Amino acid sequence: EIVLTQSPGTLSLSPGERATLSCRASQSVSSTYLAWYQQKPGQAPRLLISGASSRATGIPDRFSGSGSGTDFTLTISRLEPEDFAVYYCQQYGSSSMTFGQGTRLEIK
Amino acid sequence: QLHLQESGPGLVKPLETLSLTCTVSGGSVATYYWSWIRQPAGEGLEWIGRRSPSGSTDYNPSLKSRVSMSVDTSKNQFSLKLNSVTAADTAVYYCAHWNYWWFDPWGPGTLVTVSS
């Protein structure tokens, strides 16, 4: 099973700042099979990025994804108040899916 | 546009079977892949399993011996059964559409508590 490790666990930033979230895999993952989700309190996760770098429908362009192999990054270029939430990466491989443990993005 | 809604008992006794249903609108349950994912309070997401349109299933190895998934095309529903539950199975349970290699959309989730 591929383990995804997200860092940092918590990221404290102010609106307007840039956020960089990391997702590291225990073995190589095809970029096609890497996704990012946003989850706000009391809500289901929402797909942000699929295929490592493709924004889902309706996702603002301040969200971007990059990476390959074992290292992937979600970047939020300029934080809006509504962006403070928990973010998860997810991978698919060998008919199984795993999630990272999440990064909590909080207002500083 | 797909819309999903979970339903089922909010309280299940230890060692009994947890049964949840996901009602799908905006598309046929027979056409797509479906998954269940759960999240204990304050914790991360755990994939439970998925079912293909052909009926094949893949389950999380840690839950495989206790899980089954099925569809009811007459009601356009997708179901989860988890046997022999314990307190460790207490979580919010989400159904989701498995779209190629990711989950989208998700249902709002339903809380299931395992307690006597």
Side-chain angles (χ1 to χ4, degrees), chain B residues 20 37-41 48 89-94 108-112:
Chain B
L20 295 176
I37 299 142
R38 68 182 184 178
Q39 184 174 37
I48 299 171
D89 296 309
T90 295
V92 174
Y93 284 75
Y94 298 100
T110 187
L111 174 63
V112 178

Side-chain angles (χ1 to χ4, degrees), chain A residues 11-28:
Chain A
L11 184 58
S12 299
L13 294 170
S14 300
E17 291 192 294
R18 180 185 185 91
T20 302
L21 288 66
S22 173
C23 176
R24 178 162 291 180
S26 59
Q27 55 186 281
S28 185

